[in-house]
Amino acid sequence: MLNIGLTGGIGSGKSTVAQFFKNKGAYLIDFDVLAHKVEEPGGPAWKQIVEEYGSEILNKDATINREKLGDIVFQDKKKLETLNGIVHPAVFKEWVHRMEEIKKEKKDAIVISDIPLLIEVGLQKYVDLVILVYIPPEEQIERIRTRNGFTREEAEYRLHSQMPIDEKLSFADIVINNGGPLEETRKIVEKYWPELLEREQSKRKRETEQ
Ligand code: ADP
């Protein structure tokens, strides 16, 4: 099994690139989905979040209102750090569990974990390879404005809560430039796919030789 961390910046195209890899046969683990799962009522992070931010952030059905929570934490760095301190360990546990399940199912799986804050959180040491999906910051703002309907100010705020994408470049083993048309990005993914299969094979060979 090859364990790949896919990252980028908000709106750079991680989900898009992850889908292209899935089409080639990769298993996907989406950290946003994991985060949702641990924040569900009864999930490992739910109670702590309610204790920290109060029941005002809940919907009528006891689920967390992510918009309300987002409004609180994206305006206050300390509060965002506190939330991350609750959610990240729970997500990490869920991630490890999911990888174990995949390994049982397919020992030669290529696993692509879509991890928005991979570098900020320092998860590089848990993956075999870091793939960065890159577009210039100005284009990130345009794409999230289109996707989420944000004002320029809202888009910039969210962008600035992350490490600038240009600083992430030096952490990447592979950079996928998603600044061009989608078809071009798909071709880049197809070009890298055989290399990932080879890396998986040689990793497994090393492991069995040990
Ligand atoms: P992320 O998962 O990194 O936040 P997405 O994959 O959701 O980013 O992409 C952000 C937005 O940009 C989406 O609306 C997506 O459809 C669009 N998008 C992604 N890649 C391209 C591209 N190469 N050209 C134009 N739009 C793109």
Side-chain angles (χ1 to χ4, degrees), residues 43-95:
W46 181 89
K47 191 163 170 251
Q48 272 176 284
I49 292 174
V50 179
E51 274 166 8
E52 184 66 35
Y53 301 98
S55 50
E56 305 87 77
I57 55 120
L58 292 181
N59 295 312
K60 281 209 177 78
D61 62 358
T63 54
I64 290 168
N65 185 318
R66 298 181 70 83
E67 220 162 88
K68 279 192 191 157
L69 186 59
D71 284 345
I72 297 172
V73 298
F74 282 117
Q75 286 176 36
D76 184 330
K77 249 196 156 129
K78 265 226 149 77
K79 286 184 177 162
L80 181 61
E81 277 169 20
T82 306
L83 178 67
N84 287 342
I86 298 170
V87 175
H88 290 170
V91 166
F92 187 82
K93 245 178 129 173
E94 199 63 41
W95 183 38

Side-chain angles (χ1 to χ4, degrees), residues 37 117 144:
K37 198 173 165 200
L117 299 180
I144 55 178

Side-chain angles (χ1 to χ4, degrees), residues 9-17 114 143 147 178-182 185:
I10 181 168
S12 67
K14 295 177 295 297
S15 317
T16 306
V17 168
D114 179 341
R143 288 197 188 163
R147 185 187 63 185
N178 183 36
L182 283 173
T185 304

